Amino acid sequence: MIELVSKDRCVTCDRCVEACPTNVFDRGADGIPVIARQSDCQTCFMCEAYCPTDALFVAPTVTPLPTGDPLRNEDHLVATGLLGSYRTGLGWGHGRTPGSRLAVGPDLTPHKESSHQAASNGRSCSPCRLISGR
Amino acid sequence: MIDILDLTADVLVAGGGPAGAWAALKAAQAGADVILVDKGYLGTSGATASAGTGVWYVEPETEAREAAMASRENLNGHLSDRRWMARVLDQTYANINELATAGRYPFPILDDGSELRRGVQGPEYMRRMRAWLKRAGVRILDHSPVLELLTDPAGAVAGVAGHRRQLDQPYRVRAGAVVLATGGCAFLSRALGCDVNTGDGALFAAEVGAAFSGMEFSNAYAIAPEFSTVTKTAYYNYATFYREDGTVLEGAGSQRGRSVIARALLTGRVFARLDLAGETVRAAMRLGQPNFFLPFDRMRIDPFTDRFPITLLLEGTVRGTGGVRVADEDCSTGVAGLYVAGDAATRELICGGFTGGGSHNSAWAMSSGTWAGTAAARHARALGPAAKRRRLIATGQAGLRPTGAQLGTHHDVVRAVQAETHPYEKNYLRHGDVLAEALATLDELWTYTSAHTRGPDPVGGRQAAAMVAHARWMYTAALARTESRGMHKRLDYPDTDPTRRHRLLVGGLDELWTKADPVRPHTPLDLAVAS
């Protein structure tokens, strides 16, 4: 669930208020978005992806974290490289290569290397989809 | 009281996932004035946006197409239709190529300079679709869930009414035609991106007389880390599954052995480790779908070397194949002015009773969206300007206009419907006795909801009612299919019954009905039987 809105990083652009598909944020009086309905957060990480300044952090857990949990601590998240890590993974942001350009996923059926090569002619294994659904 | 926002359009599209986006784009390209409304935000809303998906993109070569169509027919219980599969393959091929050029989607570039166009990353895909729709002149209303359809006095669909939830403002759109692309229903299970998919469109469609097909194929469950929402079952093809004591859970698997996992989860925890993935595969997974690693990286778990607890999250008719019955090739519904696309529609035509992954669903979304959007534009044009002067009749009932005194909240209803749909022992490992008991509870819940549920916010009440209705169609169809076929497995009828190779229609609101719907003969199996 969404756990952090960094006051220092936020540029009050309202992108997260707009982009959150389950309407978790309200506009705060000072412009900083408020986590108004945390229980509606579906932990989809999309607000993080849309935040231009990496001011948001979504913990992967589906229940709120206790006060004092390191994943609610901005300094810890910066130090561990977790803050903004989804945007890095997606290749979103100035000067980055869109992750979709590089998104050649694995074959979805574990193969023995040789049979895969035979089936694939050096490209892709035809019964498999390289990038898949769930 | 804030004034109602009153708008008119040729085509109104409800839902901003891939199906709705393609429907809006194609209606606009056909010359229609289009409004798209979404419960959330076009770009992040729905099962695709936050994930990644393969696309059933097959080169137009006879042999490859033939293999693509044949490959799934055994799994899907021979309920798909090759004519529809061929149409979807053609349309998907065209749409993906258009996405690459006009839509400017950045596909991976291979060593020979060609692009790999067999999959998309959800966030990038839907971001590009939004930009493309704006260029095409589509008006987008985000955070504006539809609450009900509006019809003319003759019963033709003539618009929608809804609620702009960030402004707390009601709205109404008069339209010549409406496309429902509201997704399937995952019963607020927290499966990745699916909490906006509460089956609202199915309820709207039923209220104007549309029927459903394939609702028994509604027991899809996806693997996710126990603490998390991130479902990506395909990557678990590389997993070994374990009991809590570290012994291997024999027979468990991401594809065929998922029911083994469900059974084990009834009595204890199950763990997974992606220990079949070598270095190359590990790196490819990270590139293929970065969000898969968010739960692991953030919880300091190495999924390739650590055992981590897993769960199964209900994906209902998002990953199942049931939905509004498609009446014709233009994705009309049999109700004048109403079209349906994506997961809101049945996907049996190409998937039968089973979808293993997103590939077919994403192909269906863009193909059915294209057909529904194009046909809706044509319908609106044929009606002409008179379409916008029709007297409008509100059709919303349960959750919106209770027949009795308001009691309780929609949260109570949601909890009650989840208690009948989420548990593996009810919905996944199906047995007639258990289904019948659950259905009886749901019938009572429907009567209660129709009479007493409203709000506290109008959207929540409607969602709750939609989920109850959905669950009743699911279990009514599941009880009527007294066999195992596709993903619908009955413990009391473990075999496939050759005399029941037909689709199953279900409909109604207070009183439900079912009816067999024959599959048109077309497959090699038919030919073998005929010869």
Side-chain angles (χ1 to χ4, degrees):
Chain A
M1 284 180 154
I2 177 76
E3 289 288 358
L4 178 79
V5 180
S6 165
K7 282 185 172 32
D8 294 337
R9 290 173 169 242
C10 178
V11 289
T12 65
C13 68
D14 284 349
R15 290 296 283 133
C16 56
V17 180
E18 204 175 39
C20 171
T22 55
N23 197 29
V24 163
F25 301 99
D26 278 342
R27 290 176 176 85
D30 55 357
I32 311 281
V34 177
I35 303 169
R37 289 164 294 276
Q38 190 185 25
S39 61
D40 286 344
C41 174
Q42 61 169 352
T43 318
C44 68
F45 307 95
M46 295 306 290
C47 57
E48 254 192 71
Y50 274 76
C51 178
T53 58
D54 297 331
L56 303 175
F57 184 76
V58 178
T61 41
V62 292
T63 46
L65 295 175
T67 327
D69 191 287
L71 291 184
R72 295 180 61 176
N73 180 322
E74 185 174 344
D75 294 337
H76 171 81
L77 295 172
V78 172
T80 51
L82 290 177
L83 200 61
S85 56
Y86 188 30
R87 237 161 48 93
T88 309
L90 285 174
W92 280 15
H94 184 68
R96 289 175 176 157
T97 303
S100 66
R101 273 270 185 247
L102 311 169
V104 183
D107 283 332
L108 294 175
T109 313
H111 290 269
K112 284 183 186 137
E113 198 66 23
S114 57
S115 68
H116 173 58
Q117 286 299 329
S120 70
N121 287 330
R123 275 190 71 170
S124 56
C125 175
S126 61
C128 304
R129 300 175 303 282
L130 281 180
I131 308 168
S132 114
R134 291 176 275 185
Chain B
M1 176 78 187
I2 302 172
D3 283 343
I4 188 167
L5 173 69
D6 217 336
L7 301 169
T8 61
D10 296 326
V11 172
L12 180 285
V13 178
W22 280 101
L25 179 71
K26 291 298 169 179
Q29 286 179 353
D33 175 29
V34 183
I35 295 178
L36 183 148
V37 298
D38 189 78
K39 185 191 280 181
Y41 175 84
L42 195 174
T44 63
S45 214
T48 297
S50 48
T53 178
V55 180
W56 204 32
Y57 177 86
V58 183
E59 297 290 333
E61 295 152 6
T62 314
E63 214 171 289
R65 290 277 170 100
E66 194 64 23
M69 292 194 282
S71 68
R72 299 292 282 273
E73 285 171 341
N74 272 326
L75 280 173
N76 81 31
H78 295 272
L79 294 179
S80 50
D81 182 329
R82 285 225 171 173
R83 276 165 287 200
W84 277 88
M85 290 169 132
R87 296 181 74 207
V88 167
L89 284 168
D90 284 344
Q91 190 65 56
T92 301
Y93 191 75
N95 285 29
I96 283 288
N97 292 341
E98 193 183 353
L99 177 66
T101 50
R104 302 179 60 81
Y105 181 89
F107 284 101
I109 297 168
L110 299 172
D111 292 343
D112 64 2
S114 66
E115 288 188 351
L116 181 68
R117 295 182 176 175
R118 285 192 284 164
V120 286
Q121 279 196 344
E124 190 70 53
Y125 176 28
M126 293 315 297
R127 179 168 79 156
R128 302 277 170 166
M129 290 305 293
R130 185 181 180 94
W132 197 3
L133 259 60
K134 287 186 143 182
R135 292 203 298 279
V138 173
R139 284 179 283 168
I140 300 167
L141 296 185
D142 300 303
H143 297 290
S144 301
V146 172
L147 291 174
E148 61 180 328
L149 294 174
L150 306 171
T151 63
D152 71 9
V157 172
V160 302
H163 189 74
R164 308 199 72 193
R165 61 184 182 182
Q166 291 191 336
L167 305 171
D168 197 20
Q169 179 192 27
Y171 75 87
R172 182 172 63 188
V173 181
R174 293 167 176 276
V178 170
V179 178
L180 286 177
T182 45
C185 180
F187 298 95
L188 296 174
S189 69
R190 292 273 147 89
L192 187 65
C194 290
D195 273 10
V196 292
N197 300 128
T198 49
D200 309 3
L203 178 59
F204 308 154
E207 286 170 339
V208 297
F212 302 88
S213 185
M215 292 302 282
E216 66 276 32
F217 306 119
S218 46
N219 51 343
Y221 285 79
I223 303 172
E226 187 185 69
F227 52 85
S228 156
T229 58
V230 178
T231 49
K232 177 76 186 167
T233 300
Y235 280 6
Y236 290 89
N237 290 353
Y238 286 93
T240 306
F241 298 91
Y242 301 88
R243 292 190 196 82
E244 185 142 29
D245 64 10
T247 56
V248 172
L249 184 62
E250 294 297 342
S254 60
Q255 303 300 330
R256 298 210 174 241
R258 221 178 300 173
S259 62
V260 174
I261 298 172
R263 242 175 235 111
L265 282 169
L266 291 175
T267 54
R269 297 172 88 195
V270 175
F271 291 71
R273 183 169 62 193
L274 306 179
D275 36 25
L276 306 179
E279 284 304 321
T280 318
V281 167
R282 294 178 188 192
M285 282 182 175
R286 223 171 242 286
L287 290 174
Q289 196 159 341
N291 70 357
F292 180 73
F293 291 92
L294 293 176
F296 302 122
D297 292 348
R298 292 173 185 204
M299 298 307 279
R300 308 208 158 277
I301 293 167
D302 181 339
F304 303 111
T305 57
D306 300 336
R307 284 196 291 261
F308 54 92
I310 58 152
T311 187
L312 293 170
L313 296 177
L314 177 61
E315 293 184 309
T317 54
V318 174
R319 191 71 34 183
T321 66
V324 175
R325 176 177 172 251
V326 174
D328 209 342
E329 292 197 345
D330 58 1
C331 290
S332 54
T333 59
V335 178
L338 186 66
Y339 299 82
V340 68
D343 292 353
T346 180
R347 277 142 288 153
E348 283 173 301
L349 298 162
I350 64 160
C351 295
F354 176 85
T355 62
S359 167
H360 290 62
N361 292 334
S362 66
W364 174 252
M366 63 181 71
S367 299
S368 61
T370 296
W371 299 323
T374 307
R378 191 166 52 231
H379 184 83
R381 192 165 52 242
L383 289 176
K388 290 157 195 168
R389 293 192 294 269
R390 294 181 286 182
R391 190 161 67 82
L392 299 178
I393 297 164
T395 63
Q397 300 164 33
L400 194 60
R401 295 186 182 88
T403 54
Q406 185 180 333
L407 289 175
T409 71
H410 60 80
H411 298 293
D412 310 329
V413 178
V414 169
R415 272 190 292 275
V417 72
Q418 287 178 330
E420 301 306 322
T421 52
H422 284 201
Y424 313 135
E425 67 272 30
K426 292 186 181 179
N427 192 13
Y428 196 167
L429 309 167
R430 289 175 167 179
H431 188 287
D433 297 345
V434 179
L435 288 171
E437 201 183 317
L439 182 58
T441 306
L442 290 163
D443 286 343
E444 276 175 38
L445 187 61
W446 174 256
T447 306
Y448 172 88
T449 303
S450 302
H452 302 301
T453 303
R454 190 182 189 286
D457 78 275
V459 183
R462 231 15 202 159
Q463 291 187 162
M467 284 188 273
V468 181
H470 217 82
R472 290 174 69 229
W473 295 317
M474 281 163 49
Y475 285 176
T476 299
L479 274 166
R481 190 176 283 286
T482 46
E483 62 162 352
S484 290
R485 187 180 293 271
M487 69 170 64
H488 167 76
K489 303 267 194 269
R490 286 272 298 258
L491 296 171
D492 47 345
Y493 293 97
D495 298 322
T496 300
D497 175 354
T499 67
R500 291 181 187 277
R501 187 181 155 234
H502 54 69
R503 301 196 190 104
L504 203 54
L505 304 181
V506 60
L509 286 164
D510 295 333
E511 298 297 322
L512 306 192
W513 53 268
T514 62
K515 190 176 157 226
D517 185 28
V519 178
R520 292 187 297 185
H522 61 280
T523 70
L525 183 75
D526 300 314
L527 299 176
V529 169
S531 62

